Amino acid sequence: MSTERMPDPAILVPGAREALLGVNKVIAGTGMDGGLLALCRLRVSQINGCGPGVAGGVGEAVRHGATAGQVHAVAAWRDTPWFSGPERAALALTEAVTRLADRADPVPDPVWDLAAQHFDQRELAALLLTVALANACDRLDAPTRRQAGCS
């Protein structure tokens, strides 16, 4: 286990944590299903290998009503029966947006079009903001070697 290099940058810079929490509050106000957004945040942190993000994401998903099957199998969502059509579309978009460098067309039309079939533009915006913010938080945790359960 690595030693943390420094405290959370969002706490060290005055106002940063509040700004990040403010974006989350605005996203929550869009009416998007909190459980779906939590599963997407969890998937982002799994992809990024972010311990604090995964640990927090599991708890958040459970609090928002995600089933045990969903929480335990979100990394393999394509191969399980526990995700609805909208959840699958959101998770596919989440993965594409998180893995931008993995392909020449980072978010292929079929991935975008499927998400757009299930969500209107405001909901897509909330989903994209959720994924972007989760990625930003993971990118603060990884270089500072923040550990899960150590706040």
Side-chain angles (χ1 to χ4, degrees):
M1 177 154 43
S2 300
T3 303
E4 289 185 16
R5 291 177 169 155
M6 64 184 281
D8 183 349
I11 292 173
L12 292 174
V13 174
R17 186 173 197 283
E18 294 77 15
L20 293 171
L21 291 173
V23 173
N24 269 329
K25 187 175 181 180
V26 170
I27 293 167
T30 66
M32 277 289 284
D33 176 19
L36 173 60
L37 296 178
L39 287 171
C40 290
R41 279 191 286 274
L42 173 57
R43 187 66 190 119
V44 166
S45 292
Q46 288 175 332
I47 291 166
N48 291 331
C50 179
V54 170
V58 166
E60 183 185 5
V62 169
R63 280 191 306 280
H64 282 282
T67 67
Q70 289 176 313
V71 171
H72 293 296
V74 70
W77 60 268
R78 287 176 181 86
D79 303 316
T80 67
W82 300 304
F83 300 93
S84 67
E87 290 166 337
R88 290 175 185 281
L91 289 166
L93 184 61
T94 295
E95 290 183 358
V97 172
T98 299
R99 295 179 162 146
L100 292 175
D102 286 0
R103 54 183 112 163
D105 183 7
V107 181
D109 287 338
V111 170
W112 181 265
D113 293 344
L114 182 60
Q117 287 175 15
H118 292 283
F119 305 104
D120 64 27
Q121 287 190 344
R122 183 174 179 206
E123 292 167 328
L124 284 169
L127 181 56
L128 291 172
L129 285 166
T130 295
V131 173
L133 189 56
N135 273 290
C137 290
D138 290 352
R139 280 152 179 77
L140 295 173
D141 289 343
T144 59
R145 294 187 179 155
R146 290 195 60 236
Q147 301 295 304
C150 300
S151 294

